Amino acid sequence: MEKKDIKHIHFRLNMFWQNIFHKNEESETAYIKGFEVACTQKGGQFFGPTELEEKAIEKLALAIEVWDLEIPKNRNNIAALIEGFSVTASPNFDTKKRPDPDYQHLTKQFSSFIHETHDIKDFSWPAQVDTFAHRNNKSWSEALVNLIELFVNKGFYKHSYPHPQTIYGIHMASGSRVLPIVRKANLKHHNKSEITVNGQTISIGAVLKLGDLIGEDYRRTVHHDVKITDPSWDLYNASKKDYQYVKLFYANRQNDRTEVSIFEAARRLCNGIRSKVRFIAKTKESLFVYTDCFEIDIRSALANGEVVLTNDEMDEMQEQTLRYHFKEPLENYFKGLMTYDEVIHRFYWDRINSEHTPDPLPSVKWQLTFSGWYKVKRDGKSGQIR
């Protein structure tokens, strides 16, 4: 491989640079070392990436153990070396080969393995190793060696685990879920303009706010404390703690008919969301209020603190923001343009990482961006790699 080829390779490596470790001279050296380990070497030259097989992974483990680099052997540099190896071993790195859209990088397989075998989720595999080390009273390097040995010796890298899209634990690779419509209802004969519930009058255009079902649970999340070693992920999963009397829905209006499709319960990450009452329906059994994207069993929801009637006003910008982040994804799902998993992923991501989400969560102190973690401040953001 000629010098010009090496320069091209270095350029391509930088294109795949990950935000899971600091970029400096040391980590760049380790990153390139990972490339070299992943290549076939002969006579001091590199002849392109090797196939990802046991021999190649054993070479990687040996390179970490021997560490013949004149830079410190630490968490950041080891992660850089492994990522350099992982990127280079991908068939998609070699432009002469046909791209494989289903290929999973070694580090994604490793992350899936840690999740499947030790029930550890996170946004990056080095942070998963942090948690494993913490739980087993080991250093990060010791924990990594233990995990790699099991990963290689048991042949886990040959398994095709669905990679847990670690953002909120949603398994995007599992494909579309069955249409989670709870029921459908035609509201043609059930429209009301105003109701009174427990002395509170609710009319079309009133603003309702979803109650706080998160409580103190946010304190153990990584978005509240980015340095937490063993964060809780319960908040990011569907659970019995979600709303019981508030469901997501989409209204399909055709001529004089308004048919609504009611989906599953709203997740508790929706807490604090405000939306306007659009129509009210009274049946023999229940009294339902429909806002922009929620169906609310209003009597039970008010009695259990799942919803609050406010005196707020919503301007056009707030309504457009709500429409973009909540209503449009549900519409796209209804029309078959998004999977339901993608809709939920969008809700979670927007509520936690978007700067323009409706009613941003006050508990979010850290946001994950392409270039790393940033602390949310009134005067801007300061970055920190986790």
Side-chain angles (χ1 to χ4, degrees), residues 132-336:
F132 180 84
H134 172 76
R135 291 181 182 178
N136 294 277
N137 195 29
K138 296 178 180 292
S139 69
W140 190 86
S141 296
E142 291 173 330
L144 178 67
V145 169
N146 289 165
L147 290 169
I148 287 181
E149 286 179 351
L150 185 60
F151 181 67
V152 175
N153 295 340
K154 300 294 184 180
F156 280 103
Y157 67 94
K158 298 176 182 177
H159 297 187
S160 182
Y161 289 130
H163 178 60
Q165 176 81 6
T166 48
I167 302 170
Y168 325 125
I170 298 170
H171 289 245
M172 300 292 287
S174 62
S176 304
R177 288 169 48 185
V178 176
L179 195 71
I181 293 180
V182 178
R183 70 181 190 282
K184 289 189 175 184
N186 180 11
L187 303 184
K188 178 179 179 181
H189 303 296
H190 301 292
N191 284 342
K192 296 180 71 67
S193 61
E194 187 176 276
I195 56 171
T196 300
V197 181
N198 296 335
Q200 298 186 74
T201 300
I202 301 174
S203 57
I204 302 297
V207 177
L208 296 180
K209 179 180 178 180
L210 297 195
D212 179 15
L213 298 191
I214 295 178
E216 297 293 306
D217 289 354
Y218 70 87
R219 293 187 178 277
R220 287 197 59 239
T221 65
V222 70
H223 283 99
H224 181 71
D225 181 3
V226 75
K227 294 182 179 180
I228 194 166
T229 308
D230 194 352
S232 168
W233 301 96
D234 178 65
L235 182 60
Y236 307 111
N237 300 318
S239 73
K240 293 180 180 179
K241 296 180 180 180
D242 290 332
Y243 293 89
Q244 302 300 306
Y245 306 103
V246 180
K247 290 183 170 61
L248 298 170
F249 94 103
Y250 173 72
N252 182 31
R253 301 182 183 181
Q254 294 182 346
N255 300 324
D256 62 338
R257 292 167 56 89
T258 299
E259 185 178 80
V260 296
S261 297
I262 297 93
F263 308 128
E264 63 179 22
R267 304 287 178 89
R268 56 186 179 139
L269 249 291
C270 293
N271 81 304
I273 292 294
R274 297 174 304 142
S275 55
K276 281 186 178 181
V277 176
R278 298 303 178 183
F279 40 91
I280 302 168
K282 184 176 183 180
T283 67
K284 291 181 180 179
E285 298 81 16
S286 302
L287 187 60
F288 290 103
V289 167
Y290 294 87
T291 68
D292 299 274
C293 42
F294 301 117
E295 181 206 61
I296 303 171
D297 184 342
I298 194 64
R299 290 196 182 100
S300 298
L302 284 171
N304 289 275
E306 291 194 3
V307 70
V308 178
L309 176 63
T310 75
N311 295 319
D312 297 346
E313 297 288 339
M314 292 183 67
D315 59 32
E316 181 61 26
M317 180 61 72
Q318 291 172 324
E319 291 191 43
Q320 287 181 3
T321 303
L322 180 70
R323 190 179 304 120
Y324 174 77
H325 288 288
F326 278 80
K327 192 172 181 179
E328 285 186 6
L330 287 169
E331 180 180 2
N332 289 334
Y333 165 67
F334 181 82
K335 294 178 178 179

Side-chain angles (χ1 to χ4, degrees), residues 313-364:
E313 297 288 339
M314 292 183 67
D315 59 32
E316 181 61 26
M317 180 61 72
Q318 291 172 324
E319 291 191 43
Q320 287 181 3
T321 303
L322 180 70
R323 190 179 304 120
Y324 174 77
H325 288 288
F326 278 80
K327 192 172 181 179
E328 285 186 6
L330 287 169
E331 180 180 2
N332 289 334
Y333 165 67
F334 181 82
K335 294 178 178 179
L337 301 177
M338 294 176 71
T339 67
Y340 197 69
D341 280 346
E342 288 170 337
V343 172
I344 298 300
H345 176 273
R346 168 84 174 267
F347 286 173
Y348 277 51
W349 183 261
D350 287 353
R351 285 237 72 195
I352 291 172
N353 281 300
S354 173
E355 295 180 12
H356 306 292
T357 184
D359 303 305
L361 292 168
S363 59
V364 174

